[in-house]
């Protein structure tokens, strides 16, 4: 009996510490950069439930046990259990797709399309900086390639994301003539659709290299595929303290794209 109690207490401790670690991971972008989106909101909610369950496990288990002996309660718990199982499978499947998309190599000297991200005034966010650094590396490795800087101007941005990208690339040694600006888009879909118009208007290579963070490559690839692009990935590494939040958000984004396809 004592051994069983010890195992239960160790499980409770493990669940609580896991929830606490996850909570800290999801709350850090909010504290450091005031980033709050569906990704860290959902993560914070799940981690909070996990910690509460660990703290009050005996009481929760008694309630669940009582429900299980009730016909309606059993149906509700079965539905919840199936939902959790389906959600877990979906997360695994999407994660595999995201990882595989990172390794789709672009053609040599493909047209790089740099997907925009938030700009603070005229200063790029960390995520956008990571994308621009990846673009610079790609353009230096492919000297005959050009790129499209893509992204419109938000209400709280002093310049468009495309202009921010252009300035950064030029300041870091990329010739201005190699950078085309697309500054009207407000979403990933528009990034790629409007960039495609620029590519056609300027007779650029329709083989493209999608420059974005690794978690975003798969969803961007889905959209590019629908637009008829032949594409590859130029993934930018994401700071570890930002990855949980943006990865969780991306799960919802991929589900949205899948539902649109269906």
């Amino acid at each position: 009996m004592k051994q069983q109690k010890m195992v239960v207490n160790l499980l409770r401790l493990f669940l609580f510490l896991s929830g606490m670690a996850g909570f800290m991971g999801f709350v850090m972008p909010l504290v450091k950069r005031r980033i709050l989106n569906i990704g860290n909101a959902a993560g914070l909610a799940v981690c909070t439930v996990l910690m509460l369950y660990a703290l009050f496990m005996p009481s929760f288990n008694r309630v669940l046990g009582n429900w299980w002996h009730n016909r309606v309660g059993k149906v509700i718990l079965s539905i919840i259990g199936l939902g959790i199982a389906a959600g877990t499978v979906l997360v695994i499947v999407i994660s595999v797709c995201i990882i595989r998309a990172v390794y789709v190599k672009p053609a040599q000297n493909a047209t790089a399309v740099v997907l925009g991200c938030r700009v603070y005034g005229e200063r790029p966010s960390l995520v956008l900086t990571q994308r621009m650094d990846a673009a610079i590396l790609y353009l230096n490795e492919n000297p005959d390639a050009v790129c499209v800087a893509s992204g419109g101007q938000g209400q709280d941005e002093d310049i468009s994301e495309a202009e921010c990208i252009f300035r950064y690339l030029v300041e870091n040694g990329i010739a201005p003539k190699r950078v085309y600006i697309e500054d009207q888009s407000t979403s990933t879909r528009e990034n790629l659709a409007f960039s495609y118009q620029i590519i056609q208007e300027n007779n650029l290579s329709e083989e493209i290299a999608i420059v974005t963070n690794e978690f975003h490559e798969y969803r961007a690839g889905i959209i590019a595929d629908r637009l008829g692009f032949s594409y590859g990935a130029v993934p930018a590494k994401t700071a570890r303290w930002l990855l949980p939040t943006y990865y969780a958000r991306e799960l919802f984004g991929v589900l949205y794209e899948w539902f649109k396809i269906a």
Side-chain angles (χ1 to χ4, degrees):
M1 192 72 176
K2 286 184 179 180
Q3 188 175 9
Q4 184 180 7
K5 188 175 181 180
M6 184 177 70
V7 171
V8 170
N9 286 335
L10 285 174
L11 175 61
R12 293 175 67 184
L13 180 62
F14 172 76
L15 292 176
F16 182 81
L17 292 177
S18 298
M20 177 65 77
F23 189 92
M24 295 302 294
F26 285 113
V27 81
M28 195 175 295
L30 178 60
V31 173
K32 291 184 70 171
R33 297 289 174 89
R34 292 182 295 177
I35 296 171
L36 178 63
N37 57 42
I38 192 173
N40 56 349
L44 289 170
V46 170
C47 291
T48 299
V49 169
L50 187 60
M51 287 189 291
L52 289 174
Y53 176 68
L55 286 172
F56 303 104
M57 183 184 285
S59 299
F60 270 117
N61 287 347
R62 279 195 297 271
V63 172
L64 294 175
N66 291 334
W67 278 25
W68 189 252
H69 290 96
N70 179 284
R71 182 176 296 178
V72 175
K74 185 176 289 188
V75 171
I76 293 172
L77 290 177
S78 297
I79 292 172
I80 292 172
L82 287 172
I84 292 173
T88 302
V89 171
L90 271 175
V91 169
I92 293 171
V93 171
I94 294 173
S95 298
V96 171
C97 292
I98 288 173
I99 292 169
R100 290 180 62 187
V102 171
Y103 295 98
V104 178
K105 297 295 184 184
Q108 189 173 12
N109 292 313
T111 302
V113 178
V114 188
L115 303 186
C117 193
R118 182 161 185 175
V119 172
Y120 297 99
E122 297 187 7
R123 179 174 57 85
S125 61
L126 177 57
V127 171
L128 182 56
T129 300
Q130 292 161 343
R131 296 180 186 184
M132 294 186 297
D133 287 338
I136 290 168
L137 181 61
Y138 174 80
L139 291 170
N140 285 334
E141 291 176 348
N142 295 268
D144 293 329
V146 298
C147 85
V148 179
S150 180
Q153 182 176 347
Q155 291 183 349
D156 56 349
E157 297 174 334
D158 294 339
I159 60 173
S160 69
E161 295 164 8
E163 178 64 25
C164 185
I165 295 168
F166 175 83
R167 292 181 185 181
Y168 189 90
L169 296 187
V170 172
E171 287 170 3
N172 284 274
I174 303 301
K177 66 181 181 180
R178 298 179 69 189
V179 186
Y180 295 80
I181 292 179
E182 181 288 296
D183 59 3
Q184 300 301 310
S185 56
T186 60
S187 66
T188 301
R189 181 175 303 280
E190 290 183 355
N191 284 149
L192 291 165
F194 296 168
S195 294
Y196 186 47
Q197 293 175 8
I198 289 176
I199 288 170
Q200 289 186 313
E201 289 168 1
N202 293 277
N203 295 316
L204 306 178
S205 171
E206 295 190 14
E207 297 269 1
I208 70 166
I210 301 174
V211 185
T212 188
N213 292 75
E214 67 274 85
F215 61 81
H216 192 213
E217 286 286 1
Y218 175 62
R219 182 159 61 96
I222 294 175
I223 296 169
D225 193 52
R226 283 197 221 145
L227 293 171
F229 277 123
S230 176
Y231 64 91
V234 178
K237 290 187 179 296
T238 307
R240 290 182 182 179
W241 63 274
L242 285 172
L243 188 57
T245 288
Y246 282 104
Y247 170 76
R249 187 184 71 168
E250 197 63 18
L251 296 176
F252 291 99
V254 171
L255 279 176
Y256 175 75
E257 291 298 332
W258 282 3
F259 278 120
K260 288 185 71 172
I261 293 173

